[in-house]
Amino acid sequence: MKTFVSAFAFASVLATTPVVAQDLGFQLPSQETVEAQKESRKNQAAGQSTGRAIMDAFELYEQEQLQEAIDVLEEEYPELEPGYDQAYMGRFLGTLYAQDEQIERALRILKTSADQDVLGWNDQSAVLKLVGQLALQEEQYDMSIDYLTQWLKFTGNLDPQVLTFIANAHYQKKEFSDVVPFARAALNNSDEADKNVYTLLMASYYERKMYPQAIEVLEEAINTLPGVTTWWPQLAQFYMIEEDYTKSLATMEVAYLAGYLDKENQFKMLVQLYDNEGIPYKAATTMAKHIESGDIEGSAKNFSTVANSFHRAKEFEQAVAWYQRAADAAEDADDKGEYLRKRGNLLLLDEQYIAATSPLREALDYVEESDQGRIYMSLAEAFFYGGEYREALRYAERATEFDGQRRSARSWVGHIRSTADRKGVSL
């Protein structure tokens, strides 16, 4: 059958009041009516030629001679006039075609049998359902909905599988609001919860941007089927859409501790949530752990993410080391220069003034000329606080050549000269 939509995963269980037939848009027959129909639709006896052909075909089928069984029925079927024999044989032949994966043929013959509406109750029920299933497989969604709805009205049975098929057909037609009553009815009339139905129900809300309702479905689903691990990050994503970052992080943490996360984007999402919630150390250590384990690609960008988080956590030594790894891994010159600049500025912030000058000087070899002014300013500051006034003055004067730094650089030039003069240093 056509694959169900995949998608996007728990606090409280939603009320699951039974769905009545009226919620589906039509009335179902009572049990008494169904029993009366069964009595009135007793199986008839097929004609002698028809009956013999079907028995011969059945014997061949049981001997796993499927094509030979089809050949027997194909020889007789075209000679039959519309009526019970044609519908009866058509049901058998269509079923064999379906098993032989001749779906187009199967659908045509089975539909003819169903439309004549002359078969016994069990046979009519079976052929209606099979037409609906095959039509869904063939992406003939209107036909599928039609015949499966006929089956519901004929049997009066809120069968979860049939309800799910109808819900899926509506989803494929992008009739998202029509998915809900059938999916909910499937859940309410099933002995065991079906994750595919929850996925359909959630997706029907997601497609309409009804995120609070999608969240409610996922919360219910995860309470019912907590072992469906893919739902946890999905639920966290919906919380993020609704800007409930606290719940999003809590959900991802539970999934992480339970071992439910196994994809790079999931680990990175957890890292992002730690950063958003002001927990940069956890963000950094989590990202670093999964880079080292191979769960996250060891790229310059990812190394930089670790460095940025350590920086915000004021873990300067580790941040400096990760900025260097980012610079070493960078393939783009501007990126390499930026990582070196950040490494140098962080060493400057950590009062490692002379050590800061090395990556800052190296950064000048990679960044665009228009970006060099702020690096000259950082070098001037590093050499000044490191007591190297001549070098500080040289870089401050270079910084005056850049529009964005000129005013500040001129101020620094004056400050460096006056400080050197006060300390008796000749420039």
Side-chain angles (χ1 to χ4, degrees), residues 157-370:
N157 180 11
L158 287 170
D159 179 80
Q161 184 187 57
V162 171
L163 292 164
T164 302
F165 288 154
I166 297 175
N168 191 30
H170 280 300
Y171 182 86
Q172 301 301 333
K173 289 185 65 184
K174 302 187 184 304
E175 296 171 350
F176 302 122
S177 62
D178 292 328
V179 170
V180 174
F182 290 97
R184 181 55 67 187
L187 289 172
N188 292 344
N189 289 277
S190 178
D191 293 333
E192 295 183 4
D194 185 341
K195 68 177 183 179
N196 291 318
V197 183
Y198 277 119
T199 299
L200 278 169
L201 192 56
M202 177 275 296
S204 75
Y205 288 122
Y206 172 78
E207 296 289 352
R208 290 177 286 160
K209 296 182 169 49
M210 298 172 68
Y211 302 125
Q213 291 83 353
I215 286 171
E216 288 180 345
V217 170
L218 278 175
E219 288 177 341
E220 175 189 347
I222 217 151
N223 269 296
T224 307
L225 297 169
V228 183
T229 60
T230 56
W231 285 342
W232 294 79
Q234 288 174 7
L235 180 59
Q237 288 173 337
F238 280 127
Y239 283 140
M240 286 184 71
I241 291 173
E242 290 295 288
E243 299 183 0
D244 192 339
Y245 300 114
T246 301
K247 278 189 176 181
S248 184
L249 175 57
T251 302
M252 286 298 284
E253 278 194 312
V254 170
Y256 181 61
L257 294 172
Y260 293 162
L261 307 186
D262 58 5
K263 295 181 176 59
E264 177 172 333
N265 67 320
Q266 294 172 348
F267 294 118
K268 291 169 81 169
M269 178 180 170
L270 176 60
V271 169
Q272 179 187 346
L273 286 165
Y274 278 133
D275 265 334
N276 288 349
E277 289 297 283
I279 316 173
Y281 184 78
K282 287 284 286 183
T285 55
T286 301
M287 186 82 168
K289 173 184 175 180
H290 291 284
I291 287 175
E292 302 295 11
S293 68
D295 296 323
I296 296 176
E297 180 187 6
S299 66
K301 182 178 180 181
N302 289 335
F303 293 154
S304 174
T305 298
V306 177
N308 288 335
S309 295
F310 274 129
H311 186 171
R312 285 192 291 277
K314 296 183 170 34
E315 295 288 339
F316 298 138
E317 183 177 350
Q318 296 193 69
V320 165
W322 281 91
Y323 276 132
Q324 185 62 56
R325 289 183 68 174
D328 291 342
E331 297 180 358
D332 181 82
D334 285 340
D335 288 340
K336 184 183 289 288
E338 180 63 12
Y339 297 144
L340 289 167
R341 184 191 71 80
K342 287 183 175 180
R343 184 172 192 266
N345 282 345
L346 196 53
L347 287 166
L348 178 59
L349 182 64
D350 199 33
E351 300 182 358
Q352 299 183 53
Y353 301 121
I354 300 305
T357 63
S358 179
L360 288 170
R361 279 173 160 169
E362 189 179 354
L364 290 171
D365 295 333
Y366 296 100
V367 301
E368 296 285 342
E369 183 177 356
S370 58

